[in-house]
Amino acid sequence: MKKPQGMFDRDHEWSELTRFASFQDPRPALGVVSGRRRQGKTFLLDAVCEAMHGFYFAATEATEAESLHQFGTALAHYLGEPAPRRFTGWPEVIETIMQLATDGRPVPVVLDEFPYLAKASPELPSLIQRAFDPAGRRNASPIRLLLCGSAQTFMGKLLVGSAPLRGRASLELIVPTLDFRLARDFWEITDPYLALSVNAVVGGTPAYRREYTLNDAPADRNDFGPWVVRNLLNSARPLFREARFLLAEEPELRDTATYHGVLSAIADGNNTRGGIANFLGRKSTDLGHALTVLEDVGMIAREQDAFHGKRSTYRITEPLLAFYHAIMRPEWTDLERPGHADEVWARSQTTFQCQVLGPHFENIARTWSRWYATRETLGGHRTRVLSGVLPDPAGKTGHQLDVVVFGRGPGGEDQILAIGEAKSNSVIGDHELNRLDRIRELLLQRDRRASSSTKLLLFTGNDFTPELRQTNRTREDVELIDLERLYSGS
């Protein structure tokens, strides 16, 4: 089935959805589609329904009676009936859905924003389970029922453990954000530094270009600041309050003040549980629930330290949230009053470089090492990429490494293939290379997974000195990765 014109990328998602929806079998099938908001899930599902004359229903946050009325109206419109269908309850609705494929061909049926329906009618997953049990499937038509939602915690629990729908789904599709390379193509930005800057602010969420900025992309580096002012720091634009709405839309996040506080702490550079607790003036044991919930809904990620199995750090996964808590929230009073955005942006440059762009660039360096770098670049096949702090007892300090690449040896043993440093706005020279040389020597003394062939990776969002480029020509253990290589090379 041909992908609709105007759909950017999403080849894998379109292929899986159409394969599921058009599967030739007389029995019904169940699929689950999830992902963070604004990623284009509705666009994908609506396109599948349009291509196959399927039925698409978008739920709203409503009572059960109102939802049943809305469903009956939508179904009557789909069937060409003059008056809305009247349903007394969801058992009747599910029975009707299971018979919609009247001519024997597969028909996709989408229940979008399914968590809204289940919140008002908690028995709904169990009703669907019963319909997809062997007895229920025998008399059903070949409908392809797709349950879709953005509430990450709820959707993630639909098919696990003892959940009613466990083992019933033939499709479990997560629609991700666009990664940094795809985001650059989507925004049609040729300058890699400008692409990096935009990505550090709005990430890879498609809606933030089309619907939220009306295709307003910065024309060049000089236009980046004005673009931020007119689209993010402008109280008349939807991106101004989007970060707040992201939290408000998640049903699991009830005490939003605590969650905003945790995100502000991480954005300020406090990425350990103890650091977050100190920032908030709380005990670290008090934050367990908040951190778990934020992790479950996909707003933060907990990442293991490369050298300490029991130590981990937290990272905000949605760039817009990091930008909001680092730049906007501390200045909210001034930003709400029109005319002050330029001043706020001017005095926030150091914060943007250190707390937004820098950490984002480090994460992109790890992403590149994990998914784009070749075996030759890394010295082997990577299995995971982390960051970490290497203890130096003799120097009574610790050495931060932005990139630590692990792989497997010939016998399956863990190996450290490469270590690296990433600087978003610095010209990197021999000083940074010498630092990595010293850390590798220390690593050889302290960690049997390292070797003299462990490679040294230097990432820059700016440039390398001529002296370092000359040194690199004589050393096979050093890799220099600039923005052109990050975005186009391996």
Side-chain angles (χ1 to χ4, degrees):
M1 194 179 302
K2 189 176 181 181
K3 191 174 75 171
Q5 189 174 6
M7 182 179 291
F8 178 80
D9 190 58
R10 301 307 190 199
D11 295 333
H12 170 72
E13 291 80 6
W14 179 254
S15 173
E16 290 300 316
L17 277 172
T18 54
R19 173 183 174 273
F20 169 82
S22 61
F23 177 60
Q24 297 298 315
D25 189 281
R27 295 169 295 182
L30 175 68
V32 174
V33 179
S34 63
R36 284 152 61 184
R37 295 188 184 278
R38 328 289 194 249
Q39 305 308 318
K41 300 185 297 298
T42 295
F43 184 44
L44 277 165
L45 294 168
D46 188 53
V48 168
C49 287
E50 185 174 347
M52 297 184 62
H53 191 59
F55 173 53
Y56 173 86
F57 174 68
T60 61
E61 197 165 8
T63 64
E64 180 175 291
E66 189 179 2
S67 295
L68 289 170
H69 175 72
Q70 291 172 351
F71 183 90
T73 301
L75 183 62
H77 178 73
Y78 168 71
L79 296 174
E81 297 173 349
R85 290 278 188 104
R86 301 293 182 184
F87 294 104
T88 58
W90 282 107
E92 188 181 355
V93 170
I94 300 302
E95 184 178 348
T96 301
I97 286 175
M98 300 299 283
Q99 299 299 328
L100 282 179
T102 55
D103 59 1
R105 67 176 180 85
V107 173
V109 177
V110 173
L111 298 182
D112 202 356
E113 297 297 354
F114 182 70
Y116 287 153
L117 299 178
K119 180 181 179 182
S121 308
E123 76 280 7
L124 195 47
S126 295
L127 294 174
I128 295 173
Q129 174 202 25
R130 187 169 64 190
F132 279 87
D133 280 343
R137 289 171 49 142
R138 276 198 295 269
N139 299 318
S141 62
I143 62 109
R144 304 292 177 251
L145 180 59
L146 288 157
L147 311 178
C148 179
S150 303
Q152 298 282 71
T153 306
F154 178 89
M155 297 302 294
K157 293 177 180 177
L158 271 181
L159 304 176
V160 300
S162 59
L165 296 179
R166 168 71 174 159
R168 301 302 192 280
S170 303
L171 175 73
E172 187 177 359
L173 181 66
I174 299 175
V175 179
T177 59
L178 302 174
D179 80 350
F180 72 99
R181 286 189 171 186
L182 287 172
R184 177 195 185 184
D185 295 339
F186 183 73
W187 281 83
E188 300 176 291
I189 297 174
T190 56
D191 179 349
Y193 187 80
L194 181 58
L196 169 70
S197 301
V198 170
N199 193 246
V201 175
V202 293
T205 298
Y208 292 162
R209 181 182 185 189
R210 289 176 173 161
E211 291 87 354
Y212 282 61
T213 63
L214 298 178
N215 283 334
D216 178 11
D220 51 35
R221 294 191 192 189
N222 292 331
D223 189 40
F224 174 70
W227 174 81
V228 169
V229 169
R230 65 180 179 261
N231 285 293
L232 286 105
L233 307 185
N234 181 349
S235 60
R237 300 292 175 88
L239 281 177
F240 182 74
R241 294 178 177 83
E242 173 68 1
R244 289 188 168 192
F245 292 158
L246 287 176
L247 265 70
E249 290 170 342
E250 285 289 345
E252 297 292 325
L253 305 182
R254 297 181 181 89
D255 180 13
T256 56
T258 298
Y259 299 111
H260 276 297
V262 169
L263 293 169
S264 290
I266 297 173
D268 193 56
N270 305 281
N271 57 8
T272 65
R273 180 181 286 209
I276 297 168
N278 288 336
F279 181 89
L280 297 176
R282 306 272 292 272
K283 295 179 180 178
S284 60
T285 52
D286 295 340
L287 298 177
H289 177 72
L291 291 168
T292 299
V293 172
L294 284 170
E295 190 176 358
D296 286 345
V297 300
M299 291 186 179
I300 65 173
R302 182 178 58 176
E303 299 177 339
Q304 180 186 335
D305 187 285
F307 307 108
H308 301 265
K310 296 182 179 180
R311 185 177 185 271
S312 58
T313 57
Y314 293 91
R315 174 179 62 85
I316 299 175
T317 57
E318 171 53 64
L320 186 64
L321 284 173
F323 181 84
Y324 168 77
H325 284 90
I327 304 294
M328 298 176 66
R329 194 164 184 251
E331 302 276 6
W332 194 253
T333 301
D334 281 6
L335 289 173
E336 282 197 305
R337 187 176 180 85
H340 293 268
D342 285 297
E343 299 172 19
V344 169
W345 180 242
R347 62 175 177 257
S348 300
Q349 290 308 293
T350 300
T351 302
F352 176 73
Q353 291 293 334
C354 297
Q355 294 175 213
V356 178
L357 189 64
H360 187 73
F361 183 69
E362 292 167 9
N363 186 58
I364 283 181
R366 290 189 289 273
T367 300
W368 182 87
S369 301
R370 181 66 180 93
W371 301 112
Y372 293 107
T374 62
R375 292 174 61 97
E376 291 71 27
T377 294
L378 301 177
H381 177 71
R382 72 273 181 175
T383 55
R384 67 191 191 281
V385 179
L386 304 171
S387 62
V389 177
L390 180 66
D392 183 359
K396 297 181 179 179
T397 186
H399 301 283
Q400 175 69 47
L401 284 168
D402 302 321
V403 179
V404 183
V405 183
F406 291 90
R408 295 287 181 194
E413 68 277 10
D414 224 13
Q415 288 187 333
I416 297 177
L417 299 179
I419 57 174
E421 183 169 359
K423 299 291 185 184
S424 62
N425 207 36
S426 301
V427 176
I428 292 182
D430 286 338
H431 173 76
E432 287 78 11
L433 176 58
N434 293 337
R435 175 179 178 270
L436 285 185
D437 271 325
R438 291 193 298 272
I439 292 175
R440 184 172 59 183
E441 288 299 319
L442 177 63
L443 198 57
L444 285 170
Q445 301 169 21
R446 296 184 54 81
D447 199 317
R448 58 180 179 78
R449 297 172 296 180
S451 70
S452 57
S453 61
T454 294
K455 301 196 77 170
L456 308 180
L457 313 177
L458 290 162
F459 298 83
T460 182
N462 192 328
D463 202 357
F464 299 105
T465 64
E467 293 79 10
L468 180 58
R469 291 188 182 276
Q470 180 61 37
T471 300
N472 181 235
R473 295 188 184 99
T474 63
R475 292 187 56 171
E476 294 184 356
D477 63 330
V478 177
E479 297 285 343
L480 306 184
I481 303 101
D482 58 13
L483 284 174
E484 286 294 343
R485 190 172 177 185
L486 266 179
Y487 274 97
S488 306
S490 56

